[in-house]
Amino acid sequence: MTQKTIFKRIIDGEIPADIVYQDDLCLAFRDINPQAPTHILVIPRKEITSVNDLADEDQTLVGHLYLVIRHLAEEHQLVSSGYRVVVNTGADGGQTVDHLHFHLLGGRSMQWPPG
Ligand code: DGP
């Protein structure tokens, strides 16, 4: 059996996290290594490794995750200043946790192109 990812362990309540939102489909919590004043990770409860592993049946779930991101951006006063949503995918994308996650970054000006 493959080992649980750190995010699955957070979903299962085995390790603590600073959870800012949760519902039956997803969980949002503060990143342990924040790269901006607001840095929240939004993850599906369903175990999906990355964007590469999304199935047709996940269409509604992904839409839901984006609506949660919009809600969090409003709640954390990021709408007028702007923010960035990042989904690192695979080795070159910088993905380090093999459970699909959306970074919501805000509270400072972002650069482009990303490093
Ligand atoms: P990525 O590089 O896109 O796979 O991002 C993974 C992020 O997960 C990274 O910014 C650090 C964060 N992270 C890793 N382990 C933990 C943890 O145990 N708790 C929390 N809150 N965040 C974690």
Side-chain angles (χ1 to χ4, degrees):
M1 201 177 131
T2 52
Q3 253 197 328
K4 280 186 187 182
T5 66
I6 196 88
F7 290 174
K8 177 60 176 161
R9 293 188 68 199
I10 289 172
I11 290 167
D12 290 346
E14 293 174 4
I15 58 168
D18 185 357
I19 294 171
V20 296
Y21 176 88
Q22 59 182 313
D23 61 28
D24 55 340
L25 292 178
C26 72
L27 203 61
F29 52 90
R30 292 189 190 276
D31 195 292
I32 205 168
N33 185 21
Q35 302 300 313
T38 299
H39 187 170
I40 294 169
L41 300 170
V42 180
I43 70 171
R45 290 186 185 275
K46 180 179 176 184
E47 286 184 276
I48 300 169
T49 303
S50 79
V51 170
N52 293 327
D53 302 283
L54 284 167
D56 289 350
E57 67 185 29
D58 298 321
Q59 189 166 345
T60 304
L61 172 62
V62 172
H64 178 76
L65 297 176
Y66 264 104
L67 291 175
V68 168
I69 288 166
R70 187 194 69 182
H71 161 77
L72 289 168
E74 288 167 357
E75 192 170 78
H76 293 264
Q77 283 87 45
L78 299 176
V79 172
S80 61
S81 53
Y83 54 92
R84 185 170 288 179
V85 179
V86 175
V87 187
N88 297 326
T89 304
D92 277 2
Q95 183 175 6
T96 59
V97 179
D98 289 336
H99 184 117
L100 180 67
H101 51 283
F102 293 68
H103 296 257
L104 168 59
L105 297 143
R108 68 168 172 83
S109 181
M110 305 288 162
Q111 305 302 311
W112 194 264

